[in-house]
Amino acid sequence: MKEKKSFMPITSWAESDRPREKLLNKGVGVLSDAELIAILLGSGSRNESAVELAKRILHQAENSFHKLARYTPVEFTRFQGVGEAKAVTLVAAMEIARRRSERQSDQAILIRSSTDAFELMFPQLSDLNHEEFWVIFLHQSNKVIARKKVSQGGIAGTVTDVRIILKEALLVSAPAIILAHNHPSGNLDPSQADINITRKIKQAAEMVDIKVLDHVIIGNQKYYSFADEGQL
C-alpha cells in the first residue's frame, strides 16, 4: 500500500520559515522565487502548502519568470489550488513587474539605428502568436520617451488607427516616432497593408511636424526595416 504523503500547512511552520513573516522580519531579498509567489497565492490547497503550489507552478514554467509572465488567467487556473482570484493576482503582479522594467529601461535608451529599435521591441514581440502594433515615441535627440501598444489582432493582421498614434505622440510631445509590429508567421516581407499603413501614418504625422523614422517588422528572431530598405 502506497504511503500517503504528509502535509504540513504553512501555519504550522516555525514563524521564521513562513514567507510573510520572513519578509517582514528579514526583508524581501531573503525570499526564494517560490516564497514570493506563495505570498501572492495567499494559500495552497487541501494537499499542499502555498509554497509547494508555487514550486509546482514555477517548475511547469521551467523556473522562468519570463515564461510565467506569458501565462493567462485560464492557464494559471489549470493548477489545482489556483482559482480565478489567485490567477488574476498572479497575472497582475507579472504585468506590474513588466511595466516597471519597461519604463525604467526605456528612459536610458537611445535609438541610433534599426537594430536598436529591434532590440528594444524584440522581447515584447518575439514569442507572440498574434500581431501587435507598437509605437516608440522619441525625443529630438532620439532618446526614448515611451512606447505603447496601439492595436492587437489575430494571426493574419491587426487594424491600426492613425488618430490614436498621433494623439499619443502629441500627449508626450514626441517630435519623432518609430513603428513596430510582429509577423507571427516569421515571414518578414511587408504586406501591402503594412506598406499602406506606413505611408498613411507618415503623411498624417507630417501634418503635425512629427517624423516617422522607421517601421520595424519583427519575426523569427530577425527584422525588416522600412528605413533601411528605402521604403520611407
Side-chain angles (χ1 to χ4, degrees):
M1 184 177 178
K2 188 175 180 180
E3 184 180 353
K4 187 176 180 180
K5 183 180 178 181
S6 61
F7 166 67
M8 292 178 62
I10 288 179
T11 52
S12 68
W13 298 5
E15 187 170 308
S16 60
D17 291 333
R18 301 177 196 172
R20 291 179 184 174
E21 283 73 10
K22 283 177 69 175
L23 187 153
L24 291 170
N25 297 327
K26 299 180 181 180
V28 69
V30 303
L31 270 63
S32 67
D33 292 348
E35 288 172 328
L36 290 171
I37 292 175
I39 290 175
L40 294 172
L41 291 169
S43 62
S45 65
R46 183 184 298 273
N47 299 316
E48 62 184 350
S49 70
V51 173
E52 290 170 331
L53 174 55
K55 287 180 178 178
R56 186 156 57 88
I57 293 171
L58 276 171
H59 177 73
Q60 186 67 32
E62 299 178 358
N63 294 306
S64 167
F65 277 125
H66 178 70
K67 290 185 178 181
L68 202 63
R70 296 187 178 278
Y71 277 36
T72 65
V74 171
E75 288 172 316
F76 276 121
T77 57
R78 290 173 184 162
F79 293 93
Q80 184 179 0
V82 179
E84 187 177 85
K86 291 179 180 179
V88 168
T89 298
L90 289 169
V91 171
M94 296 298 163
E95 179 63 12
I96 288 170
R98 185 192 67 77
R99 293 186 188 186
R100 178 178 183 270
S101 175
E102 177 183 288
R103 289 170 187 174
Q104 281 185 329
S105 62
D106 282 356
Q107 295 176 2
I109 293 175
L110 178 66
I111 304 294
R112 294 160 295 192
S113 66
S114 59
T115 300
D116 291 336
F118 165 70
E119 290 177 351
L120 176 63
M121 295 308 306
F122 175 77
Q124 192 70 51
L125 296 172
S126 60
D127 298 323
L128 299 179
N129 57 10
H130 61 271
E131 278 199 15
E132 290 187 359
F133 199 104
W134 286 67
V135 180
I136 306 169
F137 304 99
L138 302 172
H139 288 290
Q140 193 71 43
S141 62
N142 284 6
K143 257 192 170 183
V144 175
I145 299 172
R147 51 182 162 155
K148 186 177 180 67
K149 179 173 69 175
V150 294
S151 67
Q152 177 175 317
I155 295 174
T158 178
V159 178
T160 304
D161 191 327
V162 177
R163 294 169 297 179
I164 292 176
I165 294 174
L166 296 184
K167 176 185 175 182
E168 295 293 337
L170 291 170
L171 282 173
V172 296
S173 301
I177 59 175
I178 292 176
L179 314 174
H181 81 281
N182 64 309
H183 280 180
S185 66
N187 179 9
L188 294 177
D189 294 333
S191 65
Q192 190 58 50
D194 294 336
I195 294 171
N196 291 343
I197 192 63
T198 303
R199 290 174 179 169
K200 188 175 181 180
I201 294 170
K202 182 184 178 186
Q203 289 170 1
E206 287 175 346
M207 299 292 291
V208 288
D209 294 324
I210 295 174
K211 296 179 181 179
V212 177
L213 301 182
D214 203 349
H215 183 173
V216 177
I217 300 173
I218 296 173
N220 198 27
Q221 300 186 22
K222 298 178 182 179
Y223 72 95
Y224 176 96
S225 163
F226 275 68
D228 292 352
E229 299 298 327
Q231 295 292 321
L232 279 177

